Amino acid sequence: MNLNGIKLTWLGHATFRIETPGGQTVLIEPWVMGNPKCPESEKELKKVDVMLCTHGHGDHIGDAVAIAKKYDPKVVGIPELVTWLKNKGAKQILPMNKGGTQTVGDIKVTMVDARHSSGIQDGNEGIYGGEPCGYVIEFENGVKIYHAGDTCVFGDMQIIREIYAPEIALLPIGDHYTMGPREAAYACNLLKPKTVIPMHFGTFPQLTGTPAELKKLVTDIEILEMKPGQTVT
Ligand code: NI
Ligand code: MN
C-alpha cells in the first residue's frame, strides 16, 4: 500500500484520523473520547479540520458535538444529521447527499450508499437521522479511500468500483450490526481494492467477526489488520 504522503490512523471501531499531504486533519466517525478501543494517548486530538459522519448511531457520532465545539471542523454529512449537529453547536456544516461530491479543503468527498439504519438518540428522544451513507475520499495526491460506514454487502458496491475505483477500502467485518467476514469477502470481490482495512469488530461482544476469518476467505487482496492507535503512511 502506498499512501504517498497520507497518514492514516485507526482510533478503534469505525473511527479513523487521516492527515492529508497538505497537513489537514480529517476525522471519520467522531467517536473518540467515549470509544473504549481508542488508546488514551489518542483521545486528545491536536486539531480537526474536517469531520465526516456516516450515520446517527452513538458508536459513530458519540463525541461529534463535543469535537465540533472544541475544534470547529467543517462537518460533512446527510442534511438531517448535520442539521441536528448544528442545533447542538456545530458552527460549520456542509450537508450533502448520496451521489454528490464536494471539495472540502484538501479533499474531494463523495457520499455513497450504505444499507443500515440511522436514528439519533437524543436523551430520551429518538430522532430521524436521515439515511446512512459511506464516503469515497479523494486526496490531492490522487489516492482514493472508501469508508463503507455501517452496512451489509450490496450489489451497487460494484458501481463504487466502476466509478471511483478506490484503492483502499475500510470495511466493517464485526457481524451482528453490519457485514461479517463472509459478506465482507463478497464486498472485496465487488470493490476489488488493493488493500482492505477491517473495522467495526471486537468492540462489543456481539461483534465477533475477525480479520483472520476474512483473510481465510480473501487471498487476492491485501487485508491489513491494524491495531487501535496504529498509523500507516
Ligand atoms: Ni450503526
Ligand atoms: Mn456501528
Side-chain angles (χ1 to χ4, degrees):
M1 188 170 69
N2 185 5
L3 287 170
N4 205 8
I6 296 167
K7 289 183 196 161
L8 180 143
T9 305
W10 187 38
L11 298 182
H13 201 57
T15 303
F16 290 84
R17 189 190 64 223
I18 305 178
E19 285 162 56
T20 70
Q24 295 199 331
T25 300
V26 179
L27 183 68
I28 315 177
E29 309 292 53
W31 194 43
V32 178
M33 297 82 95
N35 181 342
K37 291 290 177 183
C38 182
E40 285 303 320
S41 58
E42 298 289 343
K43 288 189 175 178
E44 181 73 31
L45 298 156
K46 288 192 189 72
K47 61 169 188 151
V48 183
D49 298 298
V50 184
M51 186 165 96
L52 305 184
C53 305
T54 66
H55 67 294
H57 290 158
D59 58 320
H60 298 258
I61 63 155
D63 296 313
V65 172
I67 290 170
K69 284 181 178 168
K70 186 167 179 187
Y71 302 98
D72 192 25
K74 296 181 174 74
V75 182
V76 176
I78 207 124
E80 292 83 353
L81 179 57
V82 293
T83 301
W84 180 82
L85 288 171
K86 186 179 182 204
N87 291 337
K88 293 291 174 183
K91 288 201 185 68
Q92 308 187 67
I93 61 165
L94 295 170
M96 66 188 302
N97 221 310
K98 294 178 191 180
T101 301
Q102 61 174 328
T103 300
V104 186
D106 288 347
I107 59 172
K108 281 185 195 153
V109 183
T110 302
M111 183 178 279
V112 296
D113 203 9
R115 305 280 172 85
H116 193 63
S117 61
S118 182
I120 303 167
Q121 197 64 39
D122 187 347
N124 291 328
E125 241 188 310
I127 294 173
Y128 176 62
E131 288 205 6
C133 71
Y135 292 103
V136 177
I137 305 164
E138 182 174 354
F139 294 85
E140 67 263 45
N141 61 10
V143 170
K144 281 168 279 180
I145 298 179
Y146 168 49
H147 187 297
D150 279 4
T151 189
C152 59
V153 65
F154 54 96
D156 289 353
M157 284 179 172
Q158 187 176 336
I159 297 180
I160 294 174
R161 179 187 90 218
E162 287 176 0
I163 300 180
Y164 312 108
E167 44 269 87
I168 298 160
L170 316 177
L171 300 182
I173 64 154
D175 215 327
H176 198 92
Y177 294 112
T178 68
M179 326 187 248
R182 176 175 55 170
E183 295 78 13
Y186 197 95
C188 289
N189 205 30
L190 293 172
L191 291 161
K192 294 196 184 356
K194 289 200 178 84
T195 303
V196 167
I197 298 175
M199 62 171 179
H200 210 280
F201 65 90
T203 319
F204 316 117
Q206 304 99 310
L207 307 189
T208 54
T210 63
E213 286 171 78
L214 182 63
K215 279 182 194 171
K216 262 188 232 159
L217 299 169
V218 179
T219 52
D220 55 342
I221 292 170
E222 180 193 20
I223 308 295
L224 179 63
E225 181 177 355
M226 293 184 73
K227 294 270 173 284
Q230 186 186 342
T231 300
V232 289
T233 55

